[in-house]
Structures are given as structure tokens and as C-alpha cells.
Amino acid sequence: MRVAAIDQGTTSTRCLVVEDGGAWTVAGTRRHAQHHPAPGWVEHDPEELLRNIEAVLEGAGPVDAIGISNQGESCLAWDAETGKALSPVIVWQDARTADDLAALPPAAGERSKSVCGLPLDPYFSASKLAWLVKNIPAVSTALQAGRLRLGTTDAFFLDRLCGTFRTDLATASRTGLIDLATGSWSEEMCDLHGVPRHCLPDIAAVNETFGTIGGTPVKVSIVDQQAALYGHDCRKPGDCKITFGTGAFLLSVTGDRRPPASDLLPTIAWHRKGEAPTFAVEGGVYDAGSALEWARNIGLFSAMEELGSFEGPSALSRGIVFVPALSGLAAPYWDRQAAPLFIGMDHATDRRDMVRAVLEGIAMLTVGLIEAAAQVVPLGESISIDGGLSQSSYFAQFLASASRRSITVPPMHELTALGLAELCGVDVSGARKAAQTFTPDASVSTAEHARFARAIERARAWRQ
């Protein structure tokens, strides 16, 4: 079997061709523009994303099936009859709806957590979709004419490419609009945000039929992070992975029941046909790779190869701390008013110290996610990580020491594509070779954890 696994992410669209046995090749990569029309706003051009999917798929050549992953919470509006996008894609990082959410009744936040498991945060799709209806005339006109479609990017791609207006349950669980108890759209949550329920896509299992592209079946559609969880071979409660892309995203499998309330978010990991949904807990750091990109843009380093090793004690142990809150703080703080913070520099501090502090700050925020996940489900012996930062030996070792847990880095780091292929039915065992393991040492002390916590408190609510 030969599958085209398309990973439509925050900064690029990639396609890998994965075959039975686990052999794989990169068929194509296309980057797309990030638009910031106002402070806190992040947008993509939906037509550009669609063109890039078509381009990388063409580079794959003949395949037996297609799997597509999506950005999760990023969403848009389009015309049901013409398929034309009526809005830009509002990206998951976008914070424009913070004031709208703050204006909701005080009890709304707890009710949201009860029904859909998610807090009222601009991160999720619900308030973004409501903003489109309220603020873009073409969207409200299409609603009045009965021609409006609303959804996450996957539903738009599938509608345009396959003529299928669907999303999968895992993606739907990231919107803030479903009832986790029933796996269907919640009229209560739709009414709370002002999202017309009849404009949302049907919800399907991850391996339902999503139509065909050029005669080739699209067998799988799912959120990129959930695909990566599957690609890490996480199946049992306590199995845990962290993907370091634009943001950092921890998911840990909890089983076939909704996990108890905690500082992390209950979410659907995947729902396969004929099976009960598998649940997970999820927590994120808004800025991981994006914080490094910022650090590179301001001249702290020039190439990723510079991040593999550093000499001497950590920046944190010397009092140099960076809080990577360029987009605010996600779980467990949910503070969009937090701001990035460098603190502790002196006349001897140089660029290497500062970029080292950026790496350590991302790791320390991630440790908070690990500790929160361990309160919900006993974690396994090691945590598997992937993404760009996983290729830095310094970062992986610091994360192991700070979390006091073994960290493993699979040799095949395209785990989203691997998970897509496996969900399509490909035998990927040959791609799962021995991982590199980093074991904790005593280099990160309790005092250093406390120092970072103090820096977090200084960064919080700064933009208020």
C-alpha cells in the first residue's frame, strides 16, 4: 500500500509518501505566508493553502490512498454553492476575540468546560467563527441567503477537493462547540458564541470515507497533533508525546472515557469506525518554534545547528531567564495578557546566553504541561518528542533533567505523516527504529524551578 500523507501545518504544507514496511520519501514542501493585519491577529490565505495541498499531492505521484492532517483550531467561512472563501483563515494563534470572550456571562467559562471540556480562550475555533459572522459582511450575507459554511480548515479542504462537507471528531473537539458526552455539535455552545449550528460540517470517524481526489480515496482526516500521537505509537493510557512545532503540544492517552477535570484539556485523540472514541489530555505552549524564529530574526543565532550544544552551566542556573509568551501563555495559565520576558542579564551576557535562555524557557513551560498531565494519568516510563526542537541535543537533555523523566527522540521525525499513514492502514513498523534516549541528571535544581516560576508571575497580565 502506498499513501500520500499530507501535513497541512501552521507554516508549511508537507507531503510524504509512506509505503508498507515503513519506507518513506518527502514528495514536496510548500511554505505559505503569515499575515498579521493587526496586533494579535494571525491569518492565512485559504486559497494559497489549497494550492499548496494540490501541489505537494501532485508531487507524490500515483498512490492508493490519501491522508490529510489539519492545523486544529484554525478556521474560516466559505460559500456553500461556489466554494469560494469568504474570509481569511483565522489561525489558532490569533487572539482577536479575547474581549468578546471576556464579555460573556461569568458562568459561561465553567459551563464551557463542563460541556466541551475547553475554557473560553481565543485559541479555540468557537469565538473565531462567531467573529466572522459578526464582522465580515460577505459572511453575514451568505448566512442570510442560506449559503454559508463554517468550519475548521479540514472541512474547507475536503469540500473543495472532494465535495464532502465533513470534519472528524478529534478536530471537532478542538472547536469549543461539541458536547463531549455525545460527540455531536452542542446547540448550547453554538448559541453561547453565536455560531449557527446548521452551517457546521457533519462529524465523522477519522477513517470514514471523505471522498476522492482524482479518483484516489481520502481515507483519513484528523488534527496534526492527534495524528502525531498515533505516529508516536501512543495507544495505552499514560502514553505521552510532545510535538515541538510552531507551538509545543503535549498529548497523553487517557482511555475510552473522558478524563477528569484538570489544568489540561480533555480532547478526542481519535475515533475509528466501529470503536469507541479514544480520549486524551492536551496542553500547549503557544510559542516554541515561533519563539526561536523570533530569536533568529533579532539576531540571537543564525542556524539551528548552533542550538545543539552549549558550554558551561545553564542560563537558568545563572539567573538568566526567558518566558516565551509572545502570544501569551496557554495551559495551565490561559493568560493572553502575558508578555515575553527576558530577565537576569548583566554586562557579561551575550547572544549565546540569551538564545540558550530561550531554549530553556520553552523547556520549562513544557515541564509544567508534563507535571499537569501526570496529575491526570500515570505517565509511562518515557515521553517521546518530535519536531524541530527535538533535534537539539541540548534541548532534549535539558527537558529530561528539568522534568526528571526520560525523553526519547524517534529517528523518524515526521510523526504526523507516519500517524496518517498508519491510520490509513499502512504497516509502518520498519520506520520505528531505536530512539535516542536522554535520561535526567541533577543539573536543574528545585531552586531553578522556583526562579522560573517567579519569572512567569512577572510576565503574567503585563499587557493589561
Side-chain angles (χ1 to χ4, degrees), residues 196-207:
R197 159 70 186 86
H198 65 278
C199 296
L200 297 171
D202 293 334
I203 299 175
V206 62
N207 54 347

Side-chain angles (χ1 to χ4, degrees), residues 224-236 238-245 249-253 270 382-388 390-391 407-423 428 431-433 435-436:
D224 52 6
Q225 299 306 322
Q226 274 80 338
L229 184 68
Y230 208 86
H232 276 275
D233 199 26
C234 294
R235 303 288 189 275
K236 307 183 302 298
D239 286 352
C240 182
K241 73 88 190 175
I242 309 169
T243 297
F244 293 94
F249 297 96
L250 175 148
L251 279 90
S252 181
V253 177
W270 53 78
S382 65
I383 295 172
S384 184
I385 69 172
D386 70 304
S390 70
Q391 303 308 299
I407 299 295
T408 60
V409 182
M412 196 285 196
H413 56 272
E414 298 280 1
L415 276 301
T416 294
L418 195 69
L420 285 172
E422 192 167 15
L423 284 164
V428 301
R432 290 209 170 98
K433 300 175 183 177
Q436 185 177 8

Side-chain angles (χ1 to χ4, degrees), residues 242-282:
I242 309 169
T243 297
F244 293 94
T246 301
F249 297 96
L250 175 148
L251 279 90
S252 181
V253 177
T254 59
D256 59 4
R257 295 184 179 181
R258 175 176 172 167
S262 72
D263 289 335
L264 299 188
L265 308 175
T267 190
I268 302 294
W270 53 78
H271 179 210
R272 295 170 60 93
K273 286 189 298 185
E275 300 177 4
T278 296
F279 284 85
V281 288
E282 185 260 356

